[in-house]
Amino acid sequence: MASEGHGQIAVSVCYALPGQVWLRELCLPAGATVADALRASGFAQAFPVVQPWERGVGVFGKAVEAATPLADGDRVEIYRGLSFDPKESRRRRAEHRRAKTARNGRVRPPGLL
């Protein structure tokens, strides 16, 4: 980590893709914002079709705005869309459990899980 006494902070910018992680370690002036980190990271050049603010940007899992000031050691995370619908996944798991229960000879009344 950079020493804040020298007016610099160390931050990382990351973007998780299926099977890989894009990560840049940066040294920025103290008082730098999330938007400053995104610009300095080269994200726009690496992923020209991705709009980071469309899906959200956060610091350690908490959504933030572009003007949010960064602290030494922060990790800026660029979020991407879900590859599945959580409600659909829960529905499929429930159907699978009902079918398995029926195969084992135990039938639950409809609507009870």
Side-chain angles (χ1 to χ4, degrees):
M1 309 238 175
S3 170
E4 290 187 63
H6 297 292
Q8 298 284 306
I9 58 172
V11 299
S12 57
V13 177
C14 65
Y15 181 57
L17 297 163
Q20 71 178 32
V21 175
W22 181 88
L23 178 69
R24 295 295 179 266
E25 302 287 339
L26 306 171
C27 189
L28 299 172
T33 65
V34 172
D36 296 331
L38 287 179
R39 275 191 297 276
S41 72
F43 181 80
Q45 292 77 21
F47 302 94
V49 298
V50 177
Q51 300 298 319
W53 299 104
E54 190 174 286
R55 299 287 183 196
V57 176
V59 174
F60 290 120
K62 181 181 176 199
V64 296
E65 300 292 324
T68 302
L70 293 168
D72 192 45
D74 278 351
R75 181 184 66 224
V76 177
E77 303 158 340
I78 302 161
Y79 304 128
R80 59 187 174 89
L82 296 175
S83 58
F84 60 90
D85 177 7
K87 287 182 182 180
E88 178 66 17
S89 293
R90 281 191 295 274
R91 186 187 64 73
R92 287 182 182 182
R93 283 194 304 272
E95 285 177 6
H96 178 74
R97 281 192 299 271
R98 278 193 295 270
K100 184 176 178 181
T101 301
R103 279 193 310 269
N104 291 335
R106 296 171 296 190
V107 178
R108 293 183 181 172
L112 292 180
L113 296 177

